[in-house]
């Protein structure tokens, strides 16, 4: 891993994007790639806008995440063009003039009105692959309406899984922020804060608010840890406080970190031992992130390891093999082992068989796995095993044949703690895995 600055890494990143875009345009039979940054969306019967979410195809080129109404134009062989909307507006803060290490690499055209972008787009819209949302359409009769050609998207999305050194540097910075937040959040938890209070401590330490974070913080005390995407943020802490599951990330330059840690209030108790066992499994699974490994294999190995933990703690009465074969392990580990990570927290093209399309199926009985591709250098994936005591899944379990394989007294003992998830972000390389999350926790210990 390199410690070069973004400015030093960006030119090669842009060259990679240009080469990919050139190949993608060839696939689709187009001359230009045109990417709107997106528009503001409004709430129904209201003049309030939703938080703006930039088009990921746009922020792949420039680290701009707060600039609706701008456009990127790439024509093979030419300097890429950025049409940058800087409206005249006294109601809102207007975006600054573009600045930073990336600006000189673009032919920048500043416009004051969204419609003025049109004069800087290629003449013939039919020769353009326009990637974006329908609302971005510009021109008479929506001539510049996104057409999202599948061959172009397939090519770009497939290759986006392989991060450039610039992108890895962005993800390291996102990780740095998120780890700072996780430390602050654990302190707040140990000081007795509510979920809401912990969330605020997290945002303060990261320096980002809910709309800047790559996904809604999951701040779960006690039984709430069993809800996989719990985002309620209770204002009052429970009594007693037993456990804390935090799944929270951070963004940098448009790239995401996605980190989960689980803590026990009693560091000497059985739930802490349960967390430690999941952590050992998680580290072993992170070590499987190597070139040539089928990610589905890691998912299935996770089931074996987690079922072993359920047996070790007396929660199930059968061996790991049987627990996996009968589907019992899925009652406690009901999600996938992870996903690709990058411009989006659940990055695209997780099932892509090739850059020309096609799908790699999920293993049968594992509908929630988000990534089925073979790992290759440059890919960044999450590894996030978990064990949960979720009311709905336990009810279903109790009603089925697997009920006899469960020690229900042990389930009741663990249920008030909710669950455990531990999640790291790992880079596949030519050598061993590089665990961005662990490296940052270790560097700041
Ligand atoms: N934070 C959502 C996930 O871990 O996939
Ligand atoms: Mn994740
Ligand atoms: Mn997560």
């Amino acid at each position: 891993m390199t410690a070069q600055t973004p400015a030093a890494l960006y030119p090669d990143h842009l060259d990679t994007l240009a080469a990919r875009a050139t190949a993608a345009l060839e696939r689709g039979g187009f001359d230009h790639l045109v990417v709107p940054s997106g528009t503001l969306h409004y709430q129904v019967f209201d003049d309030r806008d939703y938080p703006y979410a930039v088009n990921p195809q746009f922020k792949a080129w420039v680290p701009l995440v707060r600039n609706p109404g701008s456009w990127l134009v790439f024509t093979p062989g030419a300097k890429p063009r950025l049409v940058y909307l800087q409206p005249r507006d006294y109601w809102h803060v207007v975006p600054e003039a573009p600045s930073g290490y990336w600006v000189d690499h673009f032919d920048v055209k500043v416009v004051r009105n969204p419609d003025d972008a049109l004069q800087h787009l290629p003449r013939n819209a039919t020769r353009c692959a326009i990637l974006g949302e329908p609302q971005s359409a510009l021109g008479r009769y929506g001539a510049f309406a996104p057409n999202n050609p599948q061959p172009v998207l397939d090519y770009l999305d497939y290759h986006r899984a392989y991060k450039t050194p610039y992108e890895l540097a962005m993800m390291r910075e996102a990780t740095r922020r998120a780890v700072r937040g996780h430390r602050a959040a654990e302190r707040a938890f140990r000081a007795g804060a509510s979920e809401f209070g912990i969330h605020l401590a997290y945002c303060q330490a990261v320096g980002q608010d809910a709309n800047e974070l790559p996904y809604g913080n999951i701040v779960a005390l006690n039984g709430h840890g069993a809800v996989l995407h719990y985002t309620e943020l209770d204002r009052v802490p429970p009594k007693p406080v037993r456990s804390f599951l935090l799944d929270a990330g951070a963004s940098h330059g448009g790239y995401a970190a996605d980190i989960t840690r689980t803590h026990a209030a009693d560091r000497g108790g059985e739930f802490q031992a349960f967390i430690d066992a999941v952590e050992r499994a998680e580290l072993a699974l992170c070590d499987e992130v190597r070139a040539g490994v089928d990610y589905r294999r890691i998912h299935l190995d996770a089931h074996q390891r987690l079922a072993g933990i359920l047996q070790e703690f007396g929660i199930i009465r059968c061996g790991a093999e049987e627990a996996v074969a009968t589907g019992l392990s899925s009652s406690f580990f009901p999600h996938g082992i992870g996903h690709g990570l990058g411009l989006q927290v659940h990055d695209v093209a997780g099932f892509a068989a090739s850059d020309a399309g096609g799908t790699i199926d999920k293993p049968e009985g594992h509908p929630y796995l988000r990534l089925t591709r073979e790992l290759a250098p440059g890919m960044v994936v999450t590894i996030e095993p978990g064990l949960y005591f979720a009311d709905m899944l336990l009810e279903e379990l109790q009603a089925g044949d697997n009920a006899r394989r469960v020690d229900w007294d042990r389930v009741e003992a663990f249920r008030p703690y909710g669950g455990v998830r531990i999640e790291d972000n790992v880079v596949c390389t030519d050598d061993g895995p590089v665990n961005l999350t662990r490296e940052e926790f270790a560097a700041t210990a």
Side-chain angles (χ1 to χ4, degrees):
M1 291 283 130
T2 170
Q4 281 178 287
T5 62
L9 295 168
Y10 186 75
D12 279 351
H13 171 68
L14 200 54
D15 284 350
T16 300
L17 291 188
R20 287 178 187 167
T22 301
L25 289 171
E26 236 174 77
R27 288 281 173 94
F30 293 96
D31 298 334
H32 315 276
L33 183 73
V34 177
V35 188
S37 65
T39 59
L40 291 176
H41 294 214
Y42 289 85
Q43 298 177 22
V44 65
F45 303 133
D46 206 330
D47 63 357
R48 297 181 59 211
D49 48 354
Y50 287 107
Y52 166 68
V54 62
N55 177 356
Q57 302 283 357
F58 180 85
K59 67 174 174 171
W61 291 81
V62 281
L64 293 177
V65 297
R66 303 172 72 148
N67 295 75
S70 294
W71 294 73
L72 182 288
V73 181
F74 172 76
T75 305
K79 193 174 190 178
R81 171 170 292 184
L82 175 68
V83 184
Y84 186 90
L85 177 62
Q86 198 183 22
R88 285 182 60 75
D89 177 352
Y90 62 87
W91 291 91
H92 306 99
V93 171
V94 171
E96 303 264 327
S99 65
Y101 54 84
W102 54 274
V103 173
D104 287 348
H105 298 278
F106 290 84
D107 166 26
V108 178
K109 305 287 184 197
V110 174
V111 294
R112 301 296 180 187
N113 294 298
D115 288 348
D116 293 345
L118 202 55
Q119 61 192 286
H120 300 298
L121 302 183
R123 287 239 185 87
N124 185 352
T126 65
R127 299 305 309 143
C128 298
I130 309 170
L131 311 183
E133 55 177 5
Q135 293 90 329
S136 294
L138 274 192
R140 195 183 284 240
Y141 310 118
F144 266 91
N147 51 359
N148 296 322
Q150 203 57 47
V152 176
L153 284 172
D154 282 344
Y155 190 91
L156 293 177
D157 289 352
Y158 181 84
H159 289 282
R160 207 169 90 187
Y162 311 113
K163 271 60 184 180
T164 63
Y166 167 81
E167 292 180 297
L168 294 177
M170 294 289 112
M171 294 179 78
R172 271 191 191 280
E173 189 54 36
T175 305
R176 213 164 285 149
R177 285 175 176 269
V179 165
R180 217 187 303 146
H182 272 261
R183 290 197 190 288
E186 188 189 353
R187 283 195 296 276
F189 158 66
R190 303 238 174 252
S194 68
E195 292 167 348
F196 187 67
I198 296 171
H199 167 73
L200 294 180
Y202 184 89
C203 291
Q204 173 75 25
V206 169
Q208 295 181 346
D209 81 0
N211 296 335
E212 296 169 290
L213 295 172
Y215 57 93
N217 280 351
I218 296 168
V219 183
L221 294 173
N222 293 359
H224 294 159
V227 181
L228 299 181
H229 285 169
Y230 174 85
T231 51
E232 294 299 307
L233 298 176
D234 270 358
R235 270 39 173 188
V236 178
K239 281 196 183 98
V241 177
R242 297 186 175 90
S243 58
F244 171 39
L245 186 155
L246 176 65
D247 184 343
S251 304
H252 184 74
Y255 290 85
D258 177 11
I259 300 174
T260 309
R261 289 293 181 268
T262 308
H263 306 281
D266 175 4
R267 287 180 163 119
E270 188 174 37
F271 190 66
Q272 181 66 59
F274 194 61
I275 295 171
D276 294 343
V278 174
E279 177 155 32
R280 282 193 294 277
E282 193 259 358
L283 287 170
L285 295 164
C286 287
D287 195 53
E288 292 185 35
V289 176
R290 289 168 189 273
V293 170
D294 182 337
Y295 191 76
R296 293 175 296 184
R297 180 73 256 152
I298 304 181
H299 175 78
L300 296 174
D301 285 351
H303 271 270
Q304 288 291 335
R305 289 181 185 279
L306 293 170
I309 294 170
L310 292 171
Q311 185 190 18
E312 181 192 334
F313 281 78
I315 295 161
I316 61 172
R317 302 177 198 272
C318 64
E321 296 281 335
E322 188 176 331
V324 177
T326 57
L328 175 57
S329 56
S330 295
S331 295
F332 298 93
F333 174 40
H335 59 74
I337 187 58
H339 48 86
L341 182 70
L343 287 166
Q344 290 162 252
V345 65
H346 297 154
D347 222 0
V348 291
F351 309 118
S354 77
D355 61 19
T359 300
I360 304 173
D361 288 336
K362 299 167 212 176
E364 206 169 316
H366 297 268
Y368 299 114
L369 187 59
R370 287 192 168 98
L371 177 62
T372 54
R373 288 167 67 170
E374 183 180 295
L375 297 177
M379 280 182 159
V380 182
V381 298
T382 70
I383 295 292
E384 47 182 305
L387 287 171
Y388 312 86
F389 300 88
D391 290 343
M392 185 191 103
L393 298 177
L394 292 173
E395 268 169 34
E396 288 177 4
L397 182 58
Q398 207 144 26
D401 185 48
N402 268 332
R404 64 195 165 84
R405 297 188 170 94
V406 175
D407 183 330
W408 291 98
D409 288 339
R410 295 293 287 153
V411 166
E412 287 312 313
F414 278 92
R415 200 200 279 258
Y417 296 86
V420 178
R421 177 165 65 256
I422 300 178
E423 175 176 24
D424 288 344
N425 306 158
V426 186
V427 188
C428 179
T429 77
D430 288 314
D431 302 316
V434 171
N435 189 321
L436 297 175
T437 314
R438 297 274 165 182
E439 286 192 359
E440 183 56 26
F441 269 111
T444 57

